[in-house]
Amino acid sequence: SWVRDAATDVVANDIVGSHALVVVIDDGTFGYGATLHGLQTARTIATAALDQLGPRDIAAVVFTQDTNASQGFTLDRTRLRAAVARTTQLPASSIPGSRGACPAQLCSVHVLRSVVETLEAIPDVHRTILYISNGLDAPLPEIGPYLVQPGTLLPLGDRNTRADATIEAIRAAQRANITVHAFEPNGLGGDGTQYPEFLRTVAENTGGRAVVNDNDPERVVPAIMREARSYYLVGFTPAAVKADGAFHPITVTVKRPDVDVRARRSYV
């Protein structure tokens, strides 16, 4: 285990391992929806993921508002854990050096999309995002391939703006083949403000898991990290190719009994 935990004494610009992980801690939602239990659980989830990394896996810890607390890609587990420890329960906009007030709470999804675009530039590795968030109040449509296109939602105002931005982030992740696993830290019966359906939509439309209403979500992390190292890539040619920018459904089934199929539900 010391090989995993020891800090490297070499600095390079071309370090690429077998897996690239970004832990996105959505402190932009903590200011109004975090509990003390949720704060500690967020740290526990992130640390559990870092503990599962291999010696050559790279990782980063990113905050949606307190940008000074973030840690870029590194092999150094000590730096990553130190970034996780900087997770705060206070409203992020009150922290010196943070983004300040975020209009319509869009930082939560804008940062998620920026992380997707950064991971897209890293070739030949499996790329995973752990999105630790209380979710957003956004009128997202039904989970699955029937996610409607941006600009067609009926509700007006900030909720509609958040929904459009979220759909664009999901589309970007699908195009880049990046899996997003969403974790809600407050747990079952938490007294914070949380939106589990938002997290389910983000995760299940990118082939990931949504861990919500769970008081011990960190227990799921080892299985998720194992899945990131062991997966099938299934390719096919569509019957008709039309660049319409829409979501098209995918159903993956297997004949083997007693297994769960976790696969992308649609493609753009």
Side-chain angles (χ1 to χ4, degrees):
S1 62
W2 68 268
V3 175
R4 178 194 66 200
D5 296 332
T8 178
D9 61 353
V10 177
V11 177
N13 291 327
D14 58 351
I15 295 176
V16 176
S18 59
H19 186 197
L21 170 72
V22 179
V23 178
V24 178
I25 300 178
D26 188 11
D27 58 336
T29 63
F30 285 2
Y32 66 87
T35 63
L36 185 59
H37 168 77
L39 172 66
Q40 184 57 46
T41 301
R43 292 172 176 168
T44 302
I45 294 167
T47 301
L50 299 180
D51 288 344
Q52 295 294 318
L53 292 173
R56 295 293 298 174
D57 292 340
I58 60 173
V61 177
V62 177
F63 294 85
T64 58
Q65 281 205 344
D66 186 10
T67 54
N68 287 342
S70 297
Q71 169 62 53
F73 281 115
T74 181
L75 295 171
D76 192 334
R77 306 298 181 253
T78 301
R79 292 185 179 184
L80 293 166
R81 291 193 181 97
V84 170
R86 292 192 287 270
T87 307
T88 179
Q89 185 185 10
L90 298 174
S93 58
S94 67
I95 301 173
S98 72
R99 296 179 186 274
C102 190
Q105 298 170 332
L106 288 174
C107 291
S108 297
V109 287
H110 285 173
V111 170
L112 181 62
R113 180 169 180 177
S114 294
V115 169
V116 167
E117 292 170 350
T118 299
L119 284 172
E120 187 176 13
I122 301 178
D124 304 325
V125 296
H126 190 62
R127 298 156 297 182
T128 305
I129 296 174
L130 257 62
Y131 184 48
I132 305 173
S133 173
N134 290 316
L136 295 176
D137 181 15
L140 292 172
E142 182 181 355
I143 295 172
Y146 306 106
L147 206 59
V148 299
Q149 302 306 300
T152 62
L153 301 175
L154 297 179
L156 302 176
D158 289 347
R159 296 176 72 245
N160 190 38
T161 303
R162 287 192 290 268
D164 281 354
T166 303
I167 292 173
E168 288 297 342
I170 291 172
R171 289 161 61 92
Q174 287 190 323
R175 287 192 298 267
N177 195 32
I178 293 172
T179 303
V180 181
H181 300 283
F183 287 80
E184 186 276 301
N186 278 342
L188 185 65
D191 57 358
T193 303
Q194 53 233 36
Y195 300 95
E197 290 304 321
F198 174 91
L199 300 176
R200 289 192 181 100
T201 300
V202 172
E204 296 186 19
N205 279 281
T206 59
R209 295 199 202 187
V211 185
V212 300
N213 296 326
D214 190 328
N215 289 333
D216 299 297
E218 68 276 4
R219 294 182 303 176
V220 186
V221 173
I224 286 176
M225 297 298 287
R226 285 195 300 269
E227 289 172 8
R229 291 185 173 86
S230 178
Y231 62 95
Y232 291 92
L233 180 62
V234 181
F236 68 96
T237 301
V241 179
K242 181 181 179 182
D244 54 6
F247 284 92
H248 296 269
I250 297 176
T251 301
V252 180
T253 61
V254 295
K255 296 181 179 179
R256 180 178 172 182
D258 301 323
V259 298
D260 292 328
V261 177
R262 301 185 185 278
R264 213 166 290 275
R265 291 189 172 196
S266 60
Y267 69 95
V268 178

